[in-house]
Amino acid sequence: MQRFTSVAVFVMLVVSGGANGNAQTAPSSSSGVVLQLTISESALANLPRRTVTVVEENGQSAAYSGVDLGALLAKNGAPSGTAIRGHAVADYVVVRASDGYRAVFALCELDPSITDKIVLVADRRNGSPIGSQLGPFRIVVPGEKHQMRWVRNVTEVAVFTAT
């Protein structure tokens, strides 16, 4: 039941204009929202870039470039490193697309001090900007057997605490 409540809080913030292109912390810790971030070129600026080569659903290889989602969240104030302990171990991230599609990640699985897993906020595919069919921003998760959490047309990312 808590999952639906947290997502509803996230949607209420977005509909009420809470997303203005910058990271925001929740006004009240009782809401469960730790951080809300609108994905944009400026949000990705000044972060180290990575490139991963993956096999897409059609069986073809593609090189995606962008920034590590964990680094983006840490830059904007999400718990990271030694701050992920105790209750923060249950924190989770909801990635939202323009068409309403959502995917969830545990905050722990995004932190490079905890795992080597890469979750990329990609803005380039094979050296060119990602087209409007997939982007301009796409979540790419190398190594997953099914690409259910590869979110295209990413617009927002939010961190929630499991209360």
Side-chain angles (χ1 to χ4, degrees), residues 44 48-54 62-68 120-130 136-138 140:
L44 304 183
R49 295 193 57 86
R50 300 183 75 156
T51 300
V52 296
T53 301
V54 296
Y64 282 91
S65 299
V67 301
D68 183 85
L120 194 68
V121 181
D123 58 359
R124 300 186 76 73
R125 181 182 176 275
N126 294 330
S128 299
I130 296 177
F137 306 103
R138 184 179 194 191
V140 177

Side-chain angles (χ1 to χ4, degrees), residues 11-162:
V11 172
M12 288 188 323
L13 281 172
V14 171
V15 171
S16 69
N20 65 4
N22 298 316
Q24 297 181 355
T25 54
S28 166
S29 61
S30 64
S31 70
V33 179
V34 175
L35 172 76
Q36 181 179 342
L37 178 64
T38 299
I39 302 300
S40 65
E41 287 182 27
S42 62
L44 304 183
N46 301 319
L47 284 169
R49 295 193 57 86
R50 300 183 75 156
T51 300
V52 296
T53 301
V54 296
V55 176
E56 296 180 305
E57 289 177 332
N58 61 9
Q60 295 183 356
S61 291
Y64 282 91
S65 299
V67 301
D68 183 85
L69 179 57
L72 176 64
L73 294 172
K75 174 188 172 192
N76 286 284
S80 63
T82 58
I84 300 179
R85 60 178 187 194
H87 293 291
V89 172
D91 288 357
Y92 59 98
V93 177
V94 177
V95 177
R96 185 173 177 85
S98 61
D99 65 359
Y101 191 84
R102 297 181 307 259
V104 175
F105 297 89
L107 186 61
C108 292
E109 73 179 306
L110 302 175
D111 192 284
S113 70
I114 298 172
T115 182
D116 291 329
K117 182 178 195 151
I118 297 170
V119 177
L120 194 68
V121 181
D123 58 359
R124 300 186 76 73
R125 181 182 176 275
N126 294 330
S128 299
I130 296 177
S132 61
Q133 186 177 16
L134 298 177
F137 306 103
R138 184 179 194 191
I139 296 293
V140 177
V141 190
E144 289 195 337
K145 293 181 179 181
H146 301 284
Q147 298 175 355
M148 295 174 288
R149 297 194 300 175
W150 287 38
V151 182
R152 62 182 181 209
N153 298 305
V154 174
T155 57
E156 299 157 341
V157 177
V159 179
F160 294 91
T161 186

